[in-house]
Amino acid sequence: MMVLLQRRYNFLREIKRLTADLQDAVSREDSVSAGLILQMRADEMENIENCQELIWRMAEKGQRENEDIQRLMSGEFLSMAEGMSYEEDKILKLRKKTATLIKEIQDADKIVNKRAAGTKSFYK
């Protein structure tokens, strides 16, 4: 599970980089580059979805695995100060870094959306 969460985090880092590239393309009014970058971001999002799917499939192996994964992926676990074991602590830190990164991407997306769509922006 830890490996899949790390992969997911790495895909998110790539989305953040692509989002910065998208901001640049939008500011240059380069719709061709923006379209390509959006497709690349969609590909990364699909990779994230695949990781998430594999994590949930791990939960199907048995009752104990299901309970562990449900707990580790819950918001309640994310609010803990530290994990109960070394592995849980690593998962918790990774999930917190991931949550921060997602927030940064969402904030950047808002800016791009407002700049690209103007008064038709979803956020206006």
Side-chain angles (χ1 to χ4, degrees):
M1 180 176 169
M2 200 177 334
V3 171
L4 291 170
L5 288 173
Q6 182 63 52
R7 280 187 202 157
R8 189 177 75 162
Y9 178 77
N10 291 340
F11 292 135
L12 281 165
R13 286 184 34 208
E14 180 62 12
I15 288 174
K16 183 176 180 186
R17 186 192 67 75
L18 289 168
T19 302
D21 291 348
L22 181 60
Q23 286 177 316
D24 183 49
V26 168
S27 70
R28 291 182 284 118
E29 298 181 10
D30 182 353
S31 60
V32 173
S33 293
L36 291 171
I37 293 167
L38 285 170
Q39 181 56 54
M40 292 167 67
R41 278 177 29 131
D43 293 343
E44 294 300 319
M45 288 178 196
E46 186 175 330
N47 290 334
I48 291 169
E49 187 65 31
N50 290 337
C51 285
Q52 196 67 34
E53 177 73 23
L54 290 172
I55 290 170
W56 292 123
R57 282 190 189 160
M58 290 172 62
E60 295 173 357
K61 291 183 179 179
Q63 182 65 28
R64 177 75 175 138
E65 289 86 352
N66 185 305
E67 291 171 2
D68 288 344
I69 290 173
Q70 291 288 339
R71 185 176 55 79
L72 294 171
M73 295 301 289
S74 72
E76 185 178 311
F77 178 74
L78 192 56
S79 67
M80 293 176 60
E82 61 183 39
M84 296 186 314
S85 67
Y86 173 79
E87 290 83 8
E88 284 189 4
D89 197 50
K90 288 292 188 184
I91 289 170
L92 179 61
K93 287 177 183 174
L94 188 54
R95 289 215 42 227
K96 286 182 178 185
K97 284 183 1 182
T98 299
T100 300
L101 186 56
I102 289 171
K103 176 71 171 122
E104 291 170 3
I105 293 168
Q106 287 172 334
D107 291 345
D109 275 347
K110 285 180 187 178
I111 293 168
V112 170
N113 187 283
K114 286 178 183 178
R115 188 175 294 155
T119 59
K120 296 179 183 178
S121 171
F122 176 79
Y123 298 102
K124 287 223 176 198

